[in-house]
Amino acid sequence: MATLSFNSTRIKSPSLQSHKPFSKSHFSTKPNNVPFLFPSKTHPQLHRFKPNSISESSVSVPEEAFDDAEEDDPTSELSYLDSETDPSSVTEWELDFCSRPILDIRGKKIWELVVCDSSLSLQYTKYFPNNVINSVTLKDAMETISEDLGVPLPEKVRFFRSQMQTIITKSCKELGIKPVPSKRCLSLLLWLEERYETIYMRHPGFQKGSKPLLALDNPFPMELPENLFGEKWAFVQLPFSAIREEISSLDERFVFGAGLDLDLLGIEVDDNTLIPGLAVASSRAKPLAG
């Protein structure tokens, strides 16, 4: 039997690190100038971590707003690396760079860069006005993440928004990073879903009735080239234990592709559960799989 329940224990959160001191290499406290944001407001609920606050010179904020309640400020930015994480082990980032359902004081949509790794040991957010959105801005921001958190630039960057492919691809290639379009940015998607509820909806510029933040593209299916047609096909089913063995070859890099982190999603599958699928016999199996 298979059961589905979100496994929150797999997600590391800065809010759980209150008992640990942060070094400068792990937690950037340098203020970020974001002149287009709304003034901060105090809130009764407090996070256990302190995100990067907006510089006092960039917005008009009452002094009394700079107390512990600032930690729950939806206009704040975050720059975080888990103190127990080896920076060199963070080799793959998940990235989203897109407008948010939030308007600035000019009535223009605010853009946000959100970056994490699969375990959320690395977390970074930064707001941008809509008139600086280009590959240079993104490239500089990725270099800033590396410098501020003391982590090397990643080998790969995964992203799920096809409309941002040009900017993200250009930025990555200029930094020698492999851009990977993927809908399997699971940690990023779960985090964005949480941020929508806990951050964006509480932002003073939030626009009700905006389009869904996580609407994924569903392009029309395309015909395969004739030279990739399979000679035979059949509906099949395998026990989950056999499928897990095949997935292990992905982790050992014997084949290309990526698996789905069922543990992260809280999906439990018994080893004897039969998983249905489609098997295609082809003399060009690898190009077809690609």
Side-chain angles (χ1 to χ4, degrees):
M1 292 292 290
T3 60
L4 173 60
S5 60
F6 175 60
N7 186 2
S8 59
T9 60
R10 278 291 309 277
I11 299 293
K12 294 184 180 180
S13 171
S15 62
L16 302 178
Q17 306 298 324
S18 58
H19 60 289
K20 297 177 182 177
F22 290 98
S23 67
K24 285 187 178 180
S25 63
H26 286 151
F27 198 92
S28 171
T29 57
K30 183 170 60 177
N32 296 290
N33 292 323
V34 190
F36 53 91
L37 294 179
F38 288 86
S40 304
K41 294 184 178 179
T42 58
H43 299 280
Q45 182 186 359
L46 300 180
H47 291 307
R48 300 190 191 95
F49 68 94
K50 191 177 185 66
N52 291 350
S53 58
I54 303 163
S55 68
E56 195 168 5
S57 62
S58 63
V59 291
S60 175
V61 184
E63 287 187 11
E64 58 270 20
F66 289 98
D67 55 16
D68 289 340
E70 182 191 9
E71 298 179 8
D72 197 40
D73 180 4
T75 66
S76 295
E77 296 168 335
L78 177 64
S79 183
Y80 165 83
L81 180 67
D82 179 41
S83 58
E84 297 180 356
T85 298
D86 177 7
S88 63
S89 69
V90 183
T91 60
E92 189 172 302
W93 294 357
E94 298 177 11
L95 180 152
D96 186 42
F97 190 39
C98 191
S99 63
R100 298 296 183 238
I102 300 171
L103 298 184
D104 60 21
I105 56 177
R106 302 170 301 142
K108 304 294 184 182
K109 275 198 171 184
I110 291 174
W111 283 61
E112 185 187 39
L113 172 64
V114 175
V115 176
C116 66
D117 69 330
S118 61
S119 66
L120 289 183
S121 297
L122 180 150
Q123 299 178 30
Y124 184 91
T125 70
K126 185 172 179 60
Y127 291 119
F128 294 89
N130 70 336
N131 57 358
V132 298
I133 305 306
N134 52 51
S135 61
V136 176
T137 296
L138 180 56
K139 172 178 171 287
D140 292 345
M142 288 194 286
E143 288 178 316
T144 298
I145 296 172
S146 175
E147 293 168 4
D148 286 357
L149 295 180
V151 296
L153 288 170
E155 298 171 5
K156 297 179 182 178
V157 163
R158 291 183 178 273
F159 63 96
F160 64 89
R161 294 192 195 273
S162 60
Q163 64 267 38
M164 295 304 297
Q165 182 163 350
T166 300
I167 288 179
I168 295 174
T169 298
K170 185 175 181 181
S171 303
C172 288
K173 288 188 174 179
E174 288 182 2
L175 293 172
I177 301 169
K178 182 179 180 181
V180 182
S182 173
K183 292 184 180 179
R184 295 186 179 182
C185 305
L186 298 180
S187 297
L188 176 62
L189 290 168
L190 291 170
W191 188 24
L192 286 173
E193 200 171 74
E194 177 190 317
R195 284 182 63 78
Y196 186 88
E197 299 288 336
T198 62
I199 302 295
Y200 308 144
M201 288 184 68
R202 293 177 42 254
H203 194 287
F206 177 71
Q207 295 297 294
K208 294 181 180 179
S210 301
K211 292 182 179 180
L213 181 66
L214 298 177
L216 298 177
D217 298 330
N218 288 304
F220 291 107
M222 299 173 62
E223 289 189 13
L224 281 174
E226 288 186 9
N227 61 348
L228 290 183
F229 283 4
E231 286 86 42
K232 295 180 181 179
W233 63 272
F235 289 111
V236 298
Q237 52 186 5
L238 290 172
F240 180 67
S241 57
I243 292 177
R244 194 173 60 239
E245 263 185 56
E246 293 294 327
I247 293 175
S248 67
S249 62
L250 293 174
D251 300 330
E252 295 166 5
R253 299 182 182 275
F254 291 145
V255 296
F256 68 90
L260 189 64
D261 192 338
L262 300 182
D263 187 32
L264 177 63
L265 291 174
I267 299 176
E268 296 181 5
V269 184
D270 186 87
D271 280 350
N272 297 321
T273 300
L274 294 176
I275 308 297
L278 181 67
V280 180
S282 170
S283 57
R284 304 198 65 200
K286 190 171 182 179
L288 174 58

